[in-house]
């Protein structure tokens, strides 16, 4: 753990750096329903029950976690939706500190469970969540059926990203319910 890195609540003044760091590190092609955008960050900050924290190295944002008490139709479950650490600061326990402070805030607000989802090739995120006390509860596989009239897709071609806010909309409509049943 690096004591020089302070973990503080996220404010509006951190928005630009948080957005840029997310664009730098999130692989939005891994899960095509996942979108990272100003909307996703602003929705969190706008929510009165948000649990958003940043890791600061002086005045540079080197990590963040965005969580809230909003998870599908369960008022007593919380959602840790986004977490990231700058590539040059990874491996120093910063994400563990962010998960802990976010989780403590959500439990203190009455969350019975905290849910998060991890793409199965994301080894760093899986290790982080496992070490932070999360256990796998359900797995959803994204099945894709190509249009036979379209040319054969290039297997290396990235799946298209979807519009900002779509992931949250899908969650609200229950399309991702399989991922959410039981703490992920
Ligand atoms: C996932 C991520 C936030 C981890 O940040 P980090 O600050 O490097 O993580 P930490 O140093 O706190 O490590 C947490 C634990 O995970 C382990 N870990 C971290 N990266 C790992 C890797 N690549 N492979 C295996 N284990 C890893 C650490 O050893 C540590 O375990 P320990 O506490 O037993 O030592 C960072 O890799 C990242 O920003 N990735 C890109 C964004 C992303 O995928 N976010 C998740 C989806 S929202």
């Amino acid at each position: 753990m690096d004591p020089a890195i302070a973990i503080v609540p996220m404010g509006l003044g951190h928005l630009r750096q948080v957005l840029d760091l997310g664009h730098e590190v999130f692989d939005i092609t891994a899960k095509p329903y996942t979108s990272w955008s100003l909307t996703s960050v602003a929705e969190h900050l706008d929510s009165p029950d948000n649990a958003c924290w940043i890791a600061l190295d002086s005045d540079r944002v080197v990590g963040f976690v965005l969580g809230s008490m909003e998870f599908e139709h369960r008022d007593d479950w919380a959602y840790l939706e986004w977490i990231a650490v700058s590539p040059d600061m990874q491996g120093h326990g910063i994400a563990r500190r962010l998960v802990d402070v976010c989780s403590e805030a959500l439990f203190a607000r009455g969350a019975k469970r905290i849910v998060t989802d991890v793409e199965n090739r994301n080894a760093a995120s899986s290790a982080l969540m496992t070490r932070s006390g999360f256990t796998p509860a359900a797995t959803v596989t994204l099945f894709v059926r190509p249009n036979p009239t379209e040319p054969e897709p290039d297997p290396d071609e990235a799946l298209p990203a979807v519009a900002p806010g779509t992931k949250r909309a899908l969650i609200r409509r229950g399309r991702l319910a399989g991922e959410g049943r039981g703490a992920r």
Side-chain angles (χ1 to χ4, degrees):
M1 174 176 130
D2 187 344
I5 305 298
I7 308 291
V8 300
M10 182 184 167
L12 271 179
H14 306 121
L15 205 55
R16 176 83 259 170
Q17 287 193 72
V18 166
L19 192 60
D20 288 348
L21 176 54
H23 279 306
E24 183 184 354
V25 300
F26 290 136
D27 178 6
I28 59 162
T29 62
K31 282 195 297 182
Y33 50 78
T34 300
S35 60
W36 174 250
S37 66
L38 182 58
T39 309
S40 5
V41 189
E43 272 194 342
H44 270 92
L45 268 190
D46 229 11
S47 161
D49 63 6
N50 83 68
C52 302
W53 303 79
I54 52 158
L56 271 184
D57 181 12
S58 188
D59 57 358
R60 176 187 167 216
V61 173
V62 294
F64 63 81
V65 61
L66 308 184
S68 72
M69 288 297 293
E70 278 184 44
F71 182 72
E72 291 185 3
H73 308 295
R74 298 281 314 231
D75 290 339
D76 55 353
W77 285 21
Y79 190 28
L80 193 162
E81 187 169 13
W82 300 101
I83 183 158
V85 170
S86 298
D88 63 314
M89 300 298 280
Q90 291 177 5
H92 297 289
I94 295 174
R96 282 289 301 273
R97 291 173 64 196
L98 287 165
V99 170
D100 282 349
V101 76
C102 179
S103 301
E104 278 162 25
L106 293 169
F107 286 138
R109 274 182 218 154
K112 293 205 171 114
R113 297 241 196 305
I114 302 172
V115 176
T116 192
D117 49 40
V118 175
E119 202 272 325
N120 63 9
R121 288 163 298 181
N122 193 338
S125 190
S126 297
L128 165 67
M129 294 311 171
T130 304
R131 306 299 268 172
S132 302
F134 289 75
T135 51
T139 303
V140 168
T141 303
L142 192 71
F143 286 87
V144 178
R145 180 177 176 176
N147 184 335
T149 66
E150 292 286 317
E152 196 65 28
D154 174 354
D156 293 330
E157 185 194 337
L159 289 164
V162 291
T166 305
K167 180 184 177 188
R168 293 183 76 78
L170 286 171
I171 290 168
R172 287 194 183 116
R173 286 201 299 270
R175 292 278 300 280
L176 301 184
E179 278 185 282
R181 299 282 178 254
R184 275 172 284 184

